[in-house]
Every structure is written in C-alpha cells, then in structure tokens.
Amino acid sequence: MIAVLNVLQWFTKLVYLNILAMLFILLGLGLFGFFPALIATFFVMYQWINKKPDVAIFQSFCHAYKTYFITSNVLGYLLGGTGVVLYIDLYVMNSSQYVILHYLSIPLLVLVFLYSLMLFYVFPTLLYVEDESILNVLKTAFLTMVINPIPTFAMIAGSFGLAYILFIFQALMPIVSVSLFAFVIMMPAHHAFLTIQRKKGMLSEAKRKEVKNREAFSRE
C-alpha cells in the first residue's frame, strides 16, 4: 500500500511539473518560453535526483525560469539554427549530381550524429557547471558526451522508449511528456557528471600524493 501511495505521489509531482512547463511555455508566448520552461523542468528534476524530493516545485521552477531565461534562449536558438544549417548542407550534398559531394557528406553525417548526441547534454551541463558561458557549456557538453558512452546510450534508449510509450498512449502526452523527458535525460546525465567528479577527485588525490612524494624525496 505504501509503495502504491509513493508511486501516486511521484506521478502527481510529474503531472504538476508538466503543467507548469506547459503554462510557462505559453507565458513566454511559445517562442521565448519553450527553452526557459524546459531548463526549469530540468532544474526541478535536478533537485529531485540530488535527493531533495520535498523541494518547493513552483518556487524552484520560477527561480530557474527567470535565472536561465536569456541563457537558455540563446543556447536553444543557437543550437537550433546550427542544426538547420547542418541539415540543409547534408540535404544539398546528398541531392547533388557531383559524386565528390556525396563523399563529403559522410564526414558531415558523422558531425551531425555527434552534434545530435551533444544536444542531450547541453541543458544538464548548464545546471552542473560553474562557468555558464555559452562556449564552456558547449565544450563541456561535448566532452561529457564523448567520455560517457553508456549514459549517452541510456539517453537515446530512454528517449526512443518514451516516444514509443507516448505514441501508444497519446493521452499521456499533455500530462507527463516534458517531465518524463527531463527524467530520462537528467538521470543518465547525473551519473555521467558524477563519474567525471569522481575521476577529478582521483586525479586531485594522485596529484597531492605526487607532490607529497616529491617533498619527501627532496628532504632525503
């Protein structure tokens, strides 16, 4: 019975979070509200994953919406515009009658693939890094994607799985689509960043030990 109540409680939270996302997308007239609402949803999910289940959802959502309003829009439309340019280039190359352009489309296809994978990490990265400059967020997102293949695969599988479930049960789409998408992205991203932090900790410890050994050697 307790397990059922916990499931219902979390489902209610997901529904509430999804409603907030939809309302704040409309609040920003769709065009300017989509990316801030998305990052705000990620922010609340970030709080839950970091063992803060009782965080005030509305206050946290509003805080993130206002804090990341400009940055999320700049990132979102920059990445969206870049994606459109890459798609047009790929389409032109594949439609060309020149054979050389077909061969050149292969490395471009690889670039598009890596770019698409990096997109999974962009908004989570914005929540984990201290330096929130556009260049640093993009660089960190790309490097995190490259060195964490398992979380990246989990994001891909989770996204396709969620899309399939929402396709089968379309009534769930306006209820939990955004909040569940945030979950299937943030959970693997969280593990990816934890792995990086552990590696940094091990490297820092190794450096401290190396310095200590050098000092001991110099005393001898």
Side-chain angles (χ1 to χ4, degrees):
M1 187 65 181
I2 296 177
V4 174
L5 290 175
N6 286 333
V7 170
L8 290 175
Q9 183 183 24
W10 277 107
F11 181 76
T12 303
K13 287 183 177 182
L14 289 172
V15 171
Y16 179 47
L17 182 58
N18 203 84
I19 291 173
L20 285 178
M22 296 297 183
L23 289 176
F24 276 76
I25 288 173
L26 295 176
L27 181 65
L29 303 177
L31 189 63
F32 299 108
F34 178 77
F35 294 113
L38 188 60
I39 190 66
T41 306
F42 276 66
F43 180 77
V44 175
M45 194 62 64
Y46 168 85
Q47 299 285 345
W48 289 344
I49 291 173
N50 281 281
K51 299 179 181 179
K52 297 178 182 177
D54 298 322
V55 66
I57 298 175
F58 183 77
Q59 287 84 346
S60 296
F61 190 97
C62 290
H63 168 75
Y65 189 90
K66 290 184 292 184
T67 301
Y68 296 106
F69 186 86
I70 295 177
T71 307
S72 63
N73 272 310
V74 172
L75 266 174
Y77 285 107
L78 175 65
L79 293 171
T82 304
V84 170
V85 171
L86 288 174
Y87 174 79
I88 292 174
D89 288 344
L90 194 61
Y91 178 79
V92 170
M93 286 184 175
N94 286 326
S95 302
S96 175
Q97 60 181 346
Y98 299 104
V99 178
I100 185 64
L101 289 181
H102 287 274
Y103 285 113
L104 289 176
S105 69
I106 296 175
L108 181 60
L109 187 62
V110 174
L111 177 63
V112 170
F113 177 71
L114 293 175
Y115 178 81
S116 301
L117 295 182
M118 183 195 71
L119 293 180
F120 284 119
Y121 284 94
V122 172
F123 279 178
T125 298
L126 189 58
L127 300 176
Y128 278 91
V129 296
E130 294 181 4
D131 180 3
E132 297 177 355
S133 63
I134 302 298
L135 183 61
N136 182 64
V137 170
L138 295 178
K139 180 185 70 174
T140 305
F142 180 79
L143 292 176
T144 305
M145 177 271 295
V146 170
I147 64 177
N148 289 280
I150 295 177
T152 303
F153 177 77
M155 289 179 181
I156 298 171
S159 298
F160 276 103
L162 178 61
Y164 179 76
I165 291 172
L166 294 177
F167 177 77
I168 299 299
F169 305 100
Q170 296 183 12
L172 292 175
M173 194 171 295
I175 300 175
V176 291
S177 56
V178 180
S179 54
L180 279 182
F181 175 73
F183 174 77
V184 300
I185 298 301
M186 279 301 300
M187 185 61 77
H190 177 69
H191 286 290
F193 282 104
L194 281 182
T195 301
I196 293 174
Q197 289 171 4
R198 281 196 294 267
K199 288 180 179 178
K200 284 183 177 179
M202 292 171 64
L203 287 173
S204 298
E205 185 178 349
K207 287 182 179 179
R208 287 195 298 269
K209 188 173 182 180
E210 182 181 351
V211 170
K212 184 178 179 181
N213 290 337
R214 278 205 304 265
E215 290 176 349
F217 179 77
S218 63
R219 285 196 297 268
E220 293 178 358

